[in-house]
Structures are given as C-alpha cells and as structure tokens.
Amino acid sequence: MLFLKSTSVTKAPGIYEVDIAAKPPGKTYGVYMATDPDNPPSAVLEALASAGFVKTHSSGYTHKDRGKVLDLHFQKDGTDLFKGWKPEEAEANMAQINSIFNGVGITVTPRVMSLAEAYA
C-alpha cells in the first residue's frame, strides 16, 4: 500500500500515487499505483497491459479522509535468472514505463526497496 496524504489530490485523472520499485538487488521493477476505483485510469491500465505488464495484486480500502482507493501492482517477467530483466530488457521496459506515465503528466523515479520493505 502506498502512503497517501489525501485522496482529494491526484497526480493524473484516477491516479493518486505511482511507485516504480524493485526488490534488491534492483534489476526488475514493478509498477505500484494507488488509484481511484470510481474513476480508473483506463488508458494507463490498457497501456501497461499492452506493454506486457500483468496485474499481480489488487486491493481496495477506504482512506482516512473517507476516499476510496484501489492499490494495483503490476509485474513483467524477464528472461534472466528467476524471471529477472536482462540489461537490454530493463532499458526497454523502463522506456515503456516512462512513456506511459509521461503521457499522463507523471514523472516517475525508479527506486530499489529496502530489504525490510521488500520482504515485509
């Protein structure tokens, strides 16, 4: 679950927050989004699916300010060991992620999770 201060502010229509993160050692990134279930970001969801990202988690909850939130997680398997991304796959996949989110005005900053966060 992504930390949201408020559900009254969105980064793009239907998107409260986006996190592009990888578990250590940081070779394969996932897309984590907090979305508005009543106004889903359909174009972004379709673009992720077209790029080969598969939804691996979906969980709804009510935020403390009473707004509804749907957490969505997406992964894309690579061809390296344990379905990781090879360097050329990482470059292509990150370009796709950037293109998808830049298209709706969101700049993403990929990060590697801490061990505690990744395996909590």
Side-chain angles (χ1 to χ4, degrees), residues 12 18 25 41 48 51 58-59 61 71 74-75 86 89 118:
V18 175
L48 285 169
S58 176
S59 177
Y61 68 94
D71 274 342
F74 298 87
Q75 293 290 127
K86 291 181 178 177
E89 291 171 321

Side-chain angles (χ1 to χ4, degrees), residues 16-59:
Y16 296 120
E17 189 63 67
V18 175
D19 188 20
I20 308 302
K23 292 180 179 178
K27 292 176 57 177
T28 305
Y29 288 81
V31 177
Y32 304 89
M33 293 193 308
T35 65
D36 178 352
D38 295 330
N39 180 27
S42 300
V44 170
L45 299 176
E46 290 168 10
L48 285 169
S50 293
F53 285 85
V54 177
K55 183 171 34 172
T56 59
H57 174 80
S58 176
S59 177

